[in-house]
């Protein structure tokens, strides 16, 4: 894939970029390694001051970077502004909390004595340069949620961003440079996916984090495993959205629309499979379908647009194939199911609701990365749990119920990294984020995320 900015609303290539050659990659890896030797010894106060400055600059740049993101991957401009604001919030949160999260841990003194020591503690140290392989769907947030904790822990960062968001990638390097970070602490690598293996195998690169597709995760994990290097993977999701009889069905249906089409439906944590108890299925389906059908599809720069284009022609065509295959297999189209009229240019797809999904259909297992929802009818709680878990993925989940016994069962039995009750999944810097099964492993955000790229060092001292 060429490294280029292509406007998905028009299909027009706006700018192409040359990939770094081997010498350029070597210079940047060497710079990250050299910078780490000094940066790792800086104080938390110094790191926090730098990160706060980056947050201030990003806040000032909000409109410009929002327009860049919308131009490169098609999210509505209102969502792009919100993404930038979320990054500012996360930066400030880590600047305020990193020192506390990485404070030395002291076991009880009787356990210290039992270990034969006078003093013992756990001390957290940074690992070194971390390679971040990041996706296009949240081109600012995905990077910041890695970079803010990693840099606050004392690591340096090497960003390999998706090839269709190079302007955003270069902006991020410039942002940290303007904030005053030393040379080499955070760098963007304009490279294709074929160059990742060589960088990951470089002994100066300590670890890697990847957010992206399952095949990309398998590739990075296998290389890192061969090199015995730490990885964090956040891969696909096919999140269930379960509605039980005691739920506020109208509220659940309204939130379901947002949960499905956030970021034009191109979000790993977007609700995708809507599993509704038979007692409330008809009421939910009617309101949810009406809400999806009423969405405004259009120019993502227009303030009134709810759903913009998909990020690539390949993505739109792949989604279309999933829907068409399901329809040929007997699925019912409650709304959408086609490219919207009047949108011949660009990679648009109408908000779609499908019912009558069977396990034989690809859409039952494969992730739908776009504004397409699948509806399932569940006879009882046991069937709802079974349907929810009937996927290779396990990123997050949504449950709507006022019954505490329902909540207990879902929290116990759902195979996912999160259970959101009476609300939609959303990431927050204070809460760990990640999944199980083929959604990956490790956690981002919170104290769990900042410790992923730290060496938990046992310090044992005798008299």
């Amino acid at each position: 894939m060429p490294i280029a900015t292509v406007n998905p609303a028009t299909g027009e290539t706006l700018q192409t970029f040359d990939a770094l050659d081997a010498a350029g990659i070597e210079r940047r890896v060497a710079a990250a390694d050299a910078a780490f030797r000094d940066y790792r010894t800086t104080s938390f106060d110094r790191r926090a001051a730098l990160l706060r400055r980056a947050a201030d600059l990003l806040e000032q740049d909000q409109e410009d970077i929002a327009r860049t993101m919308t131009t490169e991957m098609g999210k509505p401009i209102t969502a792009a502004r919100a993404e930038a604001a979320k990054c500012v919030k996360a930066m400030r949160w880590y600047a305020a909390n990193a020192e506390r999260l990485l404070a030395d841990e002291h076991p009880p003194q009787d356990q210290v004595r039992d270990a034969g020591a006078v003093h013992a503690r756990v001390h957290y140290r940074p690992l070194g340069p971390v390679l971040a392989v990041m996706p296009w769907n949240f081109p600012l947030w995905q990077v910041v949620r890695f970079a803010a904790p990693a840099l606050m822990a004392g690591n340096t960062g090497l960003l390999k961003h998706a090839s269709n968001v190079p302007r955003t990638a270069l902006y991020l390097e410039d942002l940290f440079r303007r904030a005053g970070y030393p040379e080499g602490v955070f760098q963007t690598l304009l490279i294709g996916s074929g160059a990742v293996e060589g960088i990951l195998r470089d002994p100066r690169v300590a670890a890697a984090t990847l957010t992206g597709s399952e095949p990309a995760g398998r590739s990075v994990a296998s290389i890192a495993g061969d090199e015995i290097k730490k990885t964090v993977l956040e891969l696909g999701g096919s999140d269930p959205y379960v509605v039980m009889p005691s739920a506020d069905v109208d509220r659940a249906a309204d939130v379901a629309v947002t949960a499905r089409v956030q970021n034009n439906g191109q979000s790993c944590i977007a609700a995708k499979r809507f599993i509704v108890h038979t007692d409330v299925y008809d009421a939910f389906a009617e309101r949810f379908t009406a809400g999806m059908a009423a969405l405004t599809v259009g120019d993502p720069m227009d303030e009134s647009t709810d759903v913009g284009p998909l990020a690539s022609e390949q993505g739109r065509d792949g989604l279309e194939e999933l829907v068409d295959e399901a329809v040929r297999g007997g699925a019912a189209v409650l709304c959408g199911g086609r490219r919207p009229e009047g949108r011949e240019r660009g990679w648009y797809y109408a908000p779609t609701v499908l019912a009558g999904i069977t396990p034989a259909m690809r859409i039952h297992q494969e992730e739908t990365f776009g504004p397409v929802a699948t509806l399932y009818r569940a006879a009882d709680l046991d069937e709802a749990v079974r349907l929810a878990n009937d996927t290779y993925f396990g990123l997050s989940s949504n449950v709507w119920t006022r019954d505490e016994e329902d909540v207990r069962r879902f929290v116990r039995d759902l195979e996912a990294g999160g259970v959101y009750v009476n609300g939609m999944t959303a990431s927050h810097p204070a809460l760990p984020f990640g999944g199980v099964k083929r959604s990956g492993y490790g956690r981002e955000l919170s104290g769990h995320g900042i410790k992923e790229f730290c060496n938990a060092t046992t310090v044992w001292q005798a008299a």
Side-chain angles (χ1 to χ4, degrees), residues 6 27 91 106 119 162 164 209 232 277 310 358 446:
V6 180
R27 284 193 298 271
M91 288 175 161
H106 299 270
H119 303 291
N164 62 330
T209 179
V232 171
H277 192 284
L310 299 189
T358 70
S446 77

Side-chain angles (χ1 to χ4, degrees), residues 295-327:
L295 293 169
T296 298
V297 179
D299 181 353
M301 288 293 185
D302 189 325
E303 301 281 344
S304 65
T305 290
D306 298 311
V307 179
L310 299 189
S312 70
E313 185 174 20
Q314 179 184 11
R316 192 270 311 278
D317 292 350
L319 183 70
E320 194 170 47
E321 287 176 11
L322 280 179
V323 172
D324 291 348
E325 189 261 2
V327 172

Side-chain angles (χ1 to χ4, degrees), residues 144-367:
V144 166
R145 78 183 192 191
F146 145 73
L151 298 185
M152 280 304 301
N155 297 293
T156 57
L158 292 164
L159 169 64
K160 187 276 182 238
H161 218 324
S163 293
N164 62 330
V165 290
R167 290 179 178 176
T168 305
L170 292 170
Y171 167 81
L172 282 156
E173 179 179 83
D174 185 61
L175 173 68
F176 288 111
R177 179 192 59 78
R178 287 187 289 134
Y181 279 87
E183 181 180 356
V185 170
F186 185 93
Q187 300 172 90
T188 286
L189 309 177
L190 288 185
I191 56 174
S193 57
V196 168
E197 179 171 358
I199 297 168
L200 188 50
R201 290 193 185 277
D202 191 301
R204 293 167 295 185
V205 174
T209 179
L210 177 141
T211 299
S213 68
E214 185 183 336
R218 288 179 183 275
S219 176
V220 165
S222 64
I223 297 165
D226 189 50
E227 296 292 333
I228 316 179
K229 292 182 179 180
K230 176 68 179 289
T231 54
V232 171
L233 302 180
E234 193 264 278
L235 308 178
S238 188
D239 291 4
Y241 189 102
V242 183
V243 183
M244 297 298 287
S246 64
D248 180 338
V249 175
D250 288 345
R251 175 65 178 157
D254 291 344
V255 173
V257 174
T258 303
R260 177 63 285 240
V261 302
Q262 59 175 308
N263 206 45
N264 300 339
Q266 300 167 122
S267 171
C268 297
I269 59 169
K272 299 182 176 77
R273 297 175 300 124
F274 296 81
I275 300 163
V276 186
H277 192 284
T278 189
D279 291 353
V280 292
Y281 178 91
D282 291 340
F284 177 91
E286 180 179 2
R287 188 170 181 118
F288 176 54
T289 301
M292 290 283 283
L295 293 169
T296 298
V297 179
D299 181 353
M301 288 293 185
D302 189 325
E303 301 281 344
S304 65
T305 290
D306 298 311
V307 179
L310 299 189
S312 70
E313 185 174 20
Q314 179 184 11
R316 192 270 311 278
D317 292 350
L319 183 70
E320 194 170 47
E321 287 176 11
L322 280 179
V323 172
D324 291 348
E325 189 261 2
V327 172
R328 289 194 300 271
V333 179
L334 303 189
C335 71
R338 54 177 173 74
R339 301 179 188 186
E341 295 179 4
R343 292 289 167 187
E344 287 73 24
R345 297 180 69 204
W347 303 312
Y348 293 89
Y349 197 78
T352 298
V353 180
L354 301 179
I357 305 300
T358 70
M361 300 172 185
R362 287 172 54 208
I363 205 168
H364 179 70
Q365 281 292 348
E366 296 184 26
E367 182 177 23

